[in-house]
């Protein structure tokens, strides 16, 4: 009898066997979620590449200007643009930018199974044989990512024609990008980790918080708990906030939680109610 390790399953889910009798359920990443994550990753990679180019061009300009002044005099700097040394440095600069761009994807996927963008959107790259991603698989995905991006049509056809939503790089490397709504939701929790909040929620059974009360409490909670600002709160206002916590979390007093922990839980509860989450 097989056992599913992940609860996030869709009609298009596939199952990869890890060892005898145990499988993992893979939910293919929706196209739009994968696109958003990719665009975010392109932005992160572009920032690194841009910084490299800024530094490289600055060094190149200094070196080229120094060489020109030494060989031809200060008035003939333009002549160095035809020199072999300059062309070589430009090639190194271009290749360096490509290495940084590809390195962002290769490093993160090989070490963590996900890039920053994938992590924020609840995506992960997995090997369909159930084993850990190999360096070769990650490199293959990245090389064919260039084909998918520049030629577009082959990559789009591949994504549409298979139920696992695998692009050319995934098909060749034997990988798949999977999606977990639970993992994605973790990044919407500000005051408590998702797992801690769910445990406390079950234990404390808080009441739903109306938007006006939630906003009133979060106006105090966000600057003090997240921004770490010193906010002057009068004794009367502080008592009013504590009374609000006691009203919406009636089991809080008997829970054994400290007042600070209870206020932090309530702040997260207000945040989740504002975002229409239980």
């Amino acid at each position: 009898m097989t056992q599913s390790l992940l609860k996030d399953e869709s009609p298009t889910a596939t199952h990869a066997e890890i060892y005898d009798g145990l499988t993992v359920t893979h939910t293919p990443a929706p196209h739009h979620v994968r696109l958003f994550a990719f665009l975010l990753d392109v932005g992160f990679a572009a920032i690194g590449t841009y910084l490299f180019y800024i530094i490289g061009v600055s060094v190149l300009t200094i070196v080229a200007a120094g060489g020109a002044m030494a060989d031809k005099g200060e008035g003939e700097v333009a002549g160095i643009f035809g020199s072999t040394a300059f062309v070589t440095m430009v090639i190194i600069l271009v290749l360096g930018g490509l290495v940084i761009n590809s390195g962002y994807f290769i490093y993160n996927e090989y070490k963590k199974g996900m890039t920053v963008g994938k992590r924020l959107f609840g995506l992960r790259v997995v090997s369909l044989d159930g084993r850990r991603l190999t360096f070769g698989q990650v490199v293959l995905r990245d090389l064919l990512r260039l084909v998918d991006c520049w030629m577009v049509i082959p990559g789009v056809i591949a994504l549409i024609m298979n139920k696992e939503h695998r692009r050319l790089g995934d098909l060749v490397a034997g990988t798949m990008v999977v999606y977990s709504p639970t993992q994605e939701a973790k990044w919407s929790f500000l005051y408590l980790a998702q797992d801690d909040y769910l445990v406390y929620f079950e234990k404390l059974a808080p009441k739903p918080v109306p938007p006006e009360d939630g906003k009133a409490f979060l106006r105090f909670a966000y600057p003090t708990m997240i921004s770490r600002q010193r906010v002057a709160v009068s004794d009367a206002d502080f008592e009013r906030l504590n009374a609000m916590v006691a009203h919406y979390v009636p089991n809080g007093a008997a829970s054994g939680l400290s007042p600070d922990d209870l206020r932090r839980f309530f702040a997260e509860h207000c945040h989740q109610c504002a975002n229409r989450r239980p």
Side-chain angles (χ1 to χ4, degrees):
M1 181 176 181
T2 61
Q3 176 184 357
S4 175
L5 299 184
L6 300 179
K7 296 181 180 179
D8 305 311
E9 185 168 349
S10 74
T12 57
T14 59
H15 305 273
E17 185 170 338
I18 303 303
Y19 55 85
D20 186 30
L22 185 63
T23 62
V24 171
T25 299
H26 293 322
T27 300
H31 297 311
H32 68 283
V33 176
R34 192 167 177 176
L35 175 62
F36 293 151
F38 175 69
L39 292 177
L40 190 60
D41 283 327
V42 168
F44 285 128
I47 291 173
T49 305
Y50 177 75
L51 292 176
F52 172 77
Y53 281 150
I54 291 294
I55 296 172
V57 168
S58 300
V59 172
L60 180 60
T61 301
I62 294 172
V63 172
M69 287 186 290
D71 296 339
K72 302 182 179 181
E74 296 183 11
E76 301 182 16
V77 175
I80 55 92
F81 285 101
S83 68
T84 303
F86 181 84
V87 173
T88 301
M89 293 182 71
V90 169
I91 293 174
I92 292 174
L93 196 61
V94 172
L95 292 178
L98 293 175
V99 168
I100 289 177
N101 188 282
S102 293
Y104 167 82
F105 289 92
I106 292 173
Y107 174 82
N108 283 295
E109 291 182 357
Y110 178 62
K111 289 293 185 180
K112 307 171 185 177
M114 65 184 80
T115 56
V116 176
K118 286 184 174 66
R119 184 180 186 185
L120 293 176
F121 282 92
L123 305 180
R124 175 183 291 273
V125 182
V126 298
S127 179
L128 288 181
D129 61 7
R131 300 177 183 177
R132 186 183 184 280
L133 284 173
T134 67
F135 186 73
Q137 284 177 303
V138 174
V139 171
L140 271 177
R141 292 189 81 255
D142 185 71
L143 290 176
L144 286 167
R145 177 174 59 85
L146 301 177
V147 176
D148 289 330
C149 291
W150 287 105
M151 297 182 67
V152 180
I153 293 178
V156 171
I157 293 175
L159 284 171
I160 294 175
M161 294 302 292
N162 66 88
K163 66 177 182 178
E164 296 89 4
H165 302 172
R166 300 164 66 198
R167 63 175 177 83
L168 290 179
D170 292 313
L171 293 172
V172 174
T175 59
M176 175 180 171
V177 178
V178 297
Y179 172 62
S180 169
T182 302
Q183 184 67 31
E184 181 184 14
K186 286 185 177 182
W187 305 104
S188 64
F189 286 75
L190 291 178
Y191 301 89
L192 282 176
Q194 182 190 37
D195 293 340
D196 292 338
Y197 173 74
L198 294 178
V199 170
Y200 289 150
F201 184 90
E202 183 176 356
K203 180 179 181 180
L204 299 173
K207 301 176 183 178
V209 182
E212 58 274 13
D213 285 349
K215 289 179 181 178
F217 191 85
L218 292 178
R219 277 195 292 269
F220 155 78
Y222 186 83
T224 57
M225 299 179 186
I226 302 299
S227 303
R228 301 296 183 182
Q229 301 174 13
R230 291 186 176 181
V231 179
V233 181
S234 67
D235 291 341
D237 287 339
F238 195 69
E239 287 300 321
R240 183 173 59 84
L241 293 172
N242 284 333
M244 188 183 299
V245 175
H247 173 71
Y248 290 108
V249 191
N251 297 331
S255 67
L257 291 177
S258 69
D260 285 342
D261 288 340
L262 194 57
R263 282 191 290 270
R264 182 172 290 276
F265 165 78
F266 184 66
E268 186 60 54
H269 182 54
C270 291
H271 175 65
Q272 296 302 315
C273 285
N275 288 279
R276 298 181 180 178
R277 296 187 182 91

